[in-house]
């Protein structure tokens, strides 16, 4: 683990602690904030082909465990290998079926995080929480998240970045300049279930549309799009 990753963890720790203190005096923040978690997989520099990224952690840990996580360290195994949830089931189908990608190791050995490490019930709750923290408590999470994600991408140096939803794709695009994050306009006009861009010229970024139940809109399109790059 290098100094930049350790600095990131320390910054996240400090901000999470500050939010936890605010929760003691602000009922609205307390109801919106459901914890902090950076990693949902191991972290290995320059050894992880796939970089999975969502919008933010969901409410599972709070809903089923009853506590708000304060988790800053990489996991021993990916949640795609150890837990069961809707999106994980889709990924097992996409990577595990013999007539699909047929390579679960790619899934299990990938890196998994989110554009925001702050857990909320949904993306609307995240927007509301970040707005309150910014304008009431002078905590600009978005600017820090931009730094943190860029640090993680540089550290992992993935072969492909996979955005788990159009919201994650759009959020990631805002963390880079238009010269760094270049949309494939021709390709994106052909499909309403995936988006494609290039990050820093050499890293393909894929975004796949999800339904309201968190499943992929078109798993077969996910398979076909990935196979062309793997």
């Amino acid at each position: 683990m290098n100094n930049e990753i350790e600095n990131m963890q320390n910054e996240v720790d400090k901000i999470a602690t500050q939010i936890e203190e605010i929760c003691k005096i602000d009922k609205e923040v307390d109801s919106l904030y459901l914890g902090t978690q950076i990693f949902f997989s191991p972290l290995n520099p320059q050894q992880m082909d796939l970089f999975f990224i969502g919008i933010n952690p969901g409410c599972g840990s709070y809903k089923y465990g009853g506590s708000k996580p304060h988790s800053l360290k990489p996991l021993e195994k990916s949640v795609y290998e150890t837990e069961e949830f809707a999106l994980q089931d889709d990924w097992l189908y996409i990577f595990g079926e013999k007539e699909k990608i047929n390579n679960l190791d790619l899934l299990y050995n990938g890196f998994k995080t989110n554009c925001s490490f702050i857990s909320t019930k949904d993306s609307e709750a995240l927007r509301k929480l970040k707005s309150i923290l910014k304008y009431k408590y002078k905590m600009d999470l978005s600017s820090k998240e931009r730094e943190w994600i860029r640090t993680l991408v540089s550290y992992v140096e993935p072969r492909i970045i996979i955005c788990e939803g159009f919201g994650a794709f759009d959020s990631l695009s805002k963390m880079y300049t238009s010269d760094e994050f270049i949309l494939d306009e021709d390709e994106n006009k052909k499909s309403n279930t995936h988006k494609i861009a290039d990050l820093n010229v050499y890293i393909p970024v894929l975004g796949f549309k999800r339904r309201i139940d968190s499943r992929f809109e078109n798993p077969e399109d996910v398979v076909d799009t990935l196979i062309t790059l793997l």
Side-chain angles (χ1 to χ4, degrees):
M1 199 89 55
N2 68 6
N3 290 336
E4 287 188 347
I5 296 296
E6 291 179 0
N7 289 339
M8 180 196 72
Q9 290 171 302
N10 290 335
E11 288 180 347
V12 175
D13 182 30
K14 181 179 178 180
I15 287 175
T17 300
Q18 289 174 336
I19 298 174
E20 289 161 4
E21 289 301 310
I22 292 171
C23 285
K24 296 176 182 178
I25 60 172
D26 191 317
K27 291 183 179 180
E28 187 173 22
V29 171
D30 188 40
S31 67
L32 292 168
Y33 175 74
L34 301 180
T36 295
Q37 184 168 352
I38 302 174
F39 302 102
F40 290 81
S41 71
L43 174 67
N44 299 307
Q46 302 174 3
Q47 296 178 13
M48 309 181 84
D49 286 333
L50 304 181
F51 187 113
F52 297 90
I53 186 164
I55 294 178
N56 73 312
C59 60
S61 295
Y62 179 72
K63 182 177 180 181
Y64 299 110
S67 61
K68 299 179 180 182
H70 186 119
S71 177
L72 309 173
K73 296 181 179 180
L75 304 184
E76 292 294 323
K77 291 186 176 182
S78 169
V79 293
Y80 294 134
E81 186 174 1
T82 62
E83 298 186 17
E84 295 182 5
F85 50 98
L87 188 60
Q88 180 255 15
D89 190 48
D90 275 359
W91 281 131
L92 289 182
Y93 167 75
I94 290 164
F95 281 92
E97 296 288 326
K98 289 183 179 180
E99 65 273 21
K100 308 307 176 187
I101 294 176
N102 192 27
N103 190 339
L104 279 176
D105 284 343
L106 262 178
L107 175 66
Y108 294 158
N109 293 327
F111 177 70
K112 167 69 177 130
T113 189
N114 291 283
C115 294
S116 176
F117 307 146
I118 303 301
S119 175
T120 57
K121 182 176 75 170
D122 52 34
S123 57
E124 179 57 37
L126 177 64
R127 284 191 290 270
K128 187 173 183 179
L129 174 60
K130 290 171 73 171
S131 178
I132 294 171
L133 291 174
K134 181 177 181 178
Y135 294 107
K136 188 174 181 179
Y137 296 100
K138 311 304 178 186
M139 296 175 63
D140 188 356
L141 285 181
S142 294
S143 64
K144 296 306 301 181
E145 288 165 354
R146 179 178 182 272
E147 295 176 18
W148 297 336
I149 295 303
R150 292 169 73 99
T151 294
L152 287 170
V153 170
S154 295
Y155 186 77
V156 174
E157 289 193 4
R159 181 178 168 192
I160 301 171
I161 295 176
I162 300 173
C163 299
E164 298 173 316
F166 282 179
F169 184 94
D170 294 342
S171 294
L172 183 64
S173 71
K174 295 174 183 176
M175 294 178 173
Y176 291 87
T177 68
S178 58
D179 291 334
E180 295 171 315
F181 195 98
I182 302 174
L183 293 172
D184 187 334
E185 299 290 358
D186 291 337
E187 178 63 31
N188 294 344
K189 289 177 182 177
K190 298 176 185 177
S191 173
N192 62 358
T193 57
H194 72 250
K195 295 182 179 182
I196 297 179
D198 285 306
L199 178 61
N200 297 330
V201 179
Y202 67 94
I203 305 177
V205 181
L206 310 178
F208 297 106
K209 187 176 182 179
R210 290 166 66 180
R211 307 189 311 237
I212 194 169
D213 63 356
S214 292
R215 309 298 287 259
F216 285 120
E217 181 74 27
N218 188 344
E220 302 304 325
D221 179 55
V222 178
V223 173
D224 292 342
T225 306
L226 280 171
I227 282 178
T228 62
L229 294 172
L230 291 173

